[in-house]
Amino acid sequence: MVQNAHITLYGHSRSPFCHRVHLALEEAKADYTFYAVDIRDQPLMAWYAETINPVGKQIPAITYGPKGDPRNPAPESAAINESLVILEFLADVFPEAHLLPVDPILRARVRLFINTVESKLVEGFRQFFFAYTPGADAVLLSGFEAIQALLPPTGFAAGEWSLADIAAAPFTAWVYLMLEHDLGPFPAGEGLRLFELLKSPKFARLLAYIEEVQERPSFKRTFWGKDLTIEFWRADSRFQRQ
Ligand SMILES: N[C@@H](CCC(=O)N[C@@H](CS)C(=O)NCC(=O)O)C(=O)O
């Protein structure tokens, strides 16, 4: 399959799930439109849930169809949601971008890594930063361990850059920043304690990976910046300490 229709990404630069899709579109040099959807904007979300993502109100979603007004996608446009499903779709539409390796064993490695990112790292991220209860630190640390255990000695998750790295990158970058700045609802100092652990020899391979991923040009083009990220999360009500 090749791109024979226009892609519109409905998402937000502050969402790591949307960042995944944005990264893949940049890697694929896709012809796309980014339509900003802020989940705090209730009228916009009502329209979005009705028109773009009938499955729910979550971002991201993409439409694939004739180019036109993002507010009125053509009836024949396909709407696709769930960031990981969208990534697989983009790998199919842009085979020349090699978002998935050709070798079936490496493809399996990519998918195992993505499963682990989702079930361990994203879960640790959610529990530690968004639904903190004592013990959430252990969940996040076990996410670090699980990811690190799957990394080859050097390079990206499956050797060459792939969907595996795209699925992980927004989360590893955010976790790094938020721990470094002790940002979250956990007791003051907890984030810094985990940050020190992340920088300890135990996680040397993971840390090198996190840094390498952020050097990727597509990451630099799509990440909205450290300062803005920190400023945004400092002001977010979910991050205030009791
Ligand atoms: N499993 C979804 C998760 C997406 C998600 O949680 N998006 C957040 C923004 S970062 C959202 O839309 N939250 C609003 C809501 O859940 O109602 C995916 O991978 O696309």
Side-chain angles (χ1 to χ4, degrees):
M1 196 171 171
V2 287
Q3 179 169 9
N4 52 24
H6 189 70
I7 296 171
T8 301
L9 165 59
Y10 296 85
H12 204 279
S13 52
R14 288 164 196 163
S15 157
F17 298 100
C18 299
H19 190 184
R20 284 174 166 169
V21 177
H22 199 186
L23 266 170
L25 288 167
E26 281 292 314
E27 286 285 339
K29 300 185 176 61
D31 178 20
Y32 70 96
T33 302
F34 189 115
Y35 188 80
V37 175
D38 187 335
I39 56 175
R40 296 165 300 183
D41 181 339
Q42 291 187 359
L44 181 66
M45 288 314 283
W47 160 82
Y48 174 77
E50 197 180 312
T51 317
I52 308 298
N53 187 359
V55 186
K57 288 191 173 179
Q58 289 190 329
I59 50 171
I62 62 163
T63 52
Y64 188 67
K67 192 169 183 171
D69 177 5
R71 292 287 297 208
N72 285 303
E76 64 268 39
S77 292
I80 304 165
N81 63 304
E82 281 297 328
S83 60
L84 296 178
V85 175
I86 300 172
L87 293 189
E88 290 272 350
F89 174 79
L90 295 176
D92 288 341
V93 173
F94 298 99
E96 70 289 352
H98 300 293
L99 298 174
L100 279 172
V102 175
D103 177 5
I105 295 172
L106 290 178
R107 285 167 96 92
R109 208 168 279 169
V110 167
R111 290 180 172 125
L112 177 66
F113 192 83
I114 292 176
N115 275 355
T116 310
V117 165
E118 209 62 3
S119 62
K120 303 278 189 180
L121 184 67
V122 174
E123 185 52 25
F125 173 82
R126 195 188 65 74
Q127 288 196 28
F128 191 70
F129 294 104
F130 291 92
Y132 181 78
T133 52
D137 56 333
V139 183
L140 185 57
L141 286 173
S142 81
F144 289 173
E145 281 166 15
I147 294 292
Q148 178 166 268
L150 292 177
L151 288 172
T154 58
F156 295 115
E160 296 297 311
W161 175 267
S162 72
L163 288 190
D165 312 299
I166 291 176
F171 292 92
T172 54
W174 282 37
V175 165
Y176 183 97
L177 260 185
M178 286 144 84
L179 293 181
E180 184 184 24
H181 293 271
D182 209 31
L183 280 174
F186 41 75
E190 252 318 77
L192 288 172
R193 184 177 68 79
L194 263 57
F195 186 64
E196 288 311 313
L197 268 173
L198 180 60
K199 290 196 309 176
S200 71
K202 177 178 175 174
F203 288 117
R205 176 63 187 110
L206 178 62
L207 190 64
Y209 173 72
I210 291 174
E211 286 167 356
E212 194 176 354
V213 157
Q214 291 187 57
E215 288 307 310
R216 187 84 178 170
S218 61
F219 186 91
K220 292 187 169 174
R221 282 200 300 276
T222 54
F223 188 49
W224 59 301
K226 291 185 179 181
D227 293 345
L228 281 176
T229 304
I230 294 163
E231 196 181 302
F232 175 76
W233 289 116
R234 274 218 174 100
D236 192 284
S237 58
R238 290 166 297 180
F239 271 34
Q240 307 310 315
R241 296 200 169 99
Q242 301 309 316

